[in-house]
Amino acid sequence: MIDGKLTGTIKWFCSGSNELCNAAIKEMNDLVMENDDFLNIKNELTDNAEDAHLVFSENTIRGKNGTMVAGYWSGSEKRLLLSKPMLNDNNFSRYIKHEFGHSLGLDHMDNDTKNFMSYYGLRDGGQPNNVSFKLTQYQKDSLMNAYSPKRRWW
């Protein structure tokens, strides 16, 4: 935290399609820009897996409609799984921003919040346009606590 903002660079290693990884980086940076009152994070790709904080992996597992995005954020493994068909999914942006929220340390929100960290409208196959990508005060407070000098998420 610097000047009340979560600040830093997150290096991602791409072990899959560059097209998919670059699209995901763009979506994550868009979320940062939408929350620039609190987030000052730069997401960038690195060619060296050992320098990476997080890893993009191309996923061969397919969910409903043949698409899948998933994240593993525990212990030493921090990995975002992406499937190529996701690029054509109307919810691609939301899925990526949701998983990026987890990578920062955010939990799920109640569906009635219509927050990007909820499942609002997704489980019933809907694609709501009124989902908020702004961090709530609760989310900001949670991140401030997670990144305080006494506790570190990573």
Side-chain angles (χ1 to χ4, degrees), residues 4 10 13 18 26 28 32 35 41 49 53 60 62 67 83 103 112 116 125 127 137-138 145:
I10 300 175
F13 177 73
N18 281 335
K26 180 200 173 303
M28 291 184 289
V32 169
N35 292 281
I41 295 172
H53 301 108
T60 57
R62 301 291 185 248
T67 61
S83 67
S103 75
D112 62 350
F116 72 102
Q127 297 175 1
Q137 189 59 50
Y138 172 79
N145 183 46

Side-chain angles (χ1 to χ4, degrees), residues 107-147:
D107 291 325
H108 288 126
M109 298 285 288
D110 291 330
N111 287 345
D112 62 350
T113 64
K114 298 182 182 177
N115 182 273
F116 72 102
M117 291 306 296
S118 75
Y119 288 115
Y120 171 72
L122 290 177
R123 292 204 169 149
D124 60 9
Q127 297 175 1
N129 294 321
N130 58 345
V131 172
S132 173
F133 292 102
K134 291 295 280 182
L135 293 171
T136 65
Q137 189 59 50
Y138 172 79
Q139 289 169 318
K140 291 176 185 179
D141 291 345
S142 294
L143 290 173
M144 285 179 70
N145 183 46
Y147 289 95

Side-chain angles (χ1 to χ4, degrees), residues 25-76:
I25 289 283
K26 180 200 173 303
E27 293 301 334
M28 291 184 289
N29 286 334
D30 286 351
L31 181 68
V32 169
M33 287 187 337
E34 186 153 350
N35 292 281
D36 65 355
D37 62 317
F38 185 75
L39 298 177
N40 184 20
I41 295 172
K42 181 179 179 187
N43 291 285
E44 60 184 34
L45 291 175
T46 180
D47 293 333
N48 186 344
E50 291 183 16
D51 287 342
H53 301 108
L54 298 156
V55 176
F56 288 120
S57 294
E58 194 150 348
N59 189 11
T60 57
I61 299 170
R62 301 291 185 248
K64 194 165 97 174
N65 301 328
T67 61
M68 175 75 175
V69 172
Y72 297 102
W73 312 117
S74 61
S76 62

